[in-house]
Amino acid sequence: MGGELALIGTAIAVGLGAAFLPVFVNAEVYVVAIGATVDSKLLLVILIVVHVIATTVGKAIVFQLARKGTRKIRSVERRPPRNRFVAWVRRVGDRLLGLLDRPYAGGLTAFASSLTGVPPLAIVTLLAGASKQPQWLFLTMVFIGRLIQFLAIAFLFHQLSWF
């Protein structure tokens, strides 16, 4: 039982860390690691759900900080894309980010970002907090998208844990 509690504590810590410091703490790497090392499918699901809850709570805090903080977001001059795929991803990301100004259509952006990472969830969280995006919708879409993504990754690596 003590081992399971330590795993749950780690799931919470990594989830919060990934929400606050996504450059340094990668939630997906953690999911790959537990998917490949945890033997029990039930424990794996519990760890993923706890991890997603912690990530979502962390994103709620970041969202609120962005909402209460400055509404001015500086634009940065971007380099031209290296190839057509990168250009396509950038166009899709820009269109999705544009939806954040619409209170309910912006939920699509939060869901797509949570599920695929395009556009990056850290950026979407800040922009959603500074936009008209309802927090309940943003957090619901983040939770659902992350849950689907993390369960898929974890169970893929759980099945491939032989390597």
Side-chain angles (χ1 to χ4, degrees):
M1 184 67 169
E4 287 86 3
L5 288 178
L7 288 172
I8 290 171
T10 303
I12 293 169
V14 173
L16 290 172
F20 297 131
L21 301 166
V23 173
F24 301 107
V25 181
N26 189 297
E28 289 82 356
V29 170
Y30 169 76
V31 170
V32 167
I34 64 169
T37 59
V38 172
D39 292 330
S40 166
K41 289 181 181 180
L42 177 61
L43 180 58
L44 183 58
V45 169
I46 291 169
L47 291 173
I48 294 297
V49 170
V50 168
H51 182 60
V52 171
I53 290 169
T55 303
T56 305
V57 167
K59 292 297 181 188
I61 294 167
V62 173
F63 181 98
Q64 277 304 313
L65 290 172
R67 178 136 302 166
K68 303 239 185 270
T70 180
R71 297 218 178 245
K72 294 181 181 179
I73 297 175
R74 296 185 329 202
S75 66
V76 184
E77 190 172 318
R78 298 193 304 187
R79 290 180 266 157
R82 292 172 285 207
N83 57 46
R84 286 191 289 176
F85 177 73
V86 172
W88 177 80
V89 168
R90 188 177 285 177
R91 277 194 312 276
V92 168
D94 288 346
R95 286 188 182 141
L96 287 169
L97 288 173
L99 291 176
L100 288 174
D101 283 335
R102 299 180 183 163
Y104 295 99
L108 175 65
T109 302
F111 180 72
S113 177
S114 300
L115 186 64
T116 66
V118 176
L121 186 56
I123 293 169
V124 170
T125 303
L126 293 172
L127 293 177
S131 74
K132 298 172 185 157
Q133 184 71 210
Q135 185 177 17
W136 70 266
L137 178 62
F138 173 78
L139 295 176
T140 301
M141 294 297 105
V142 167
F143 181 84
I144 293 169
R146 289 302 236 187
L147 186 63
I148 293 168
Q149 180 196 47
F150 290 170
L151 284 172
I153 291 170
F155 278 98
L156 173 70
F157 280 89
H158 185 73
Q159 295 300 321
L160 301 176
S161 63
W162 49 267
F163 76 130

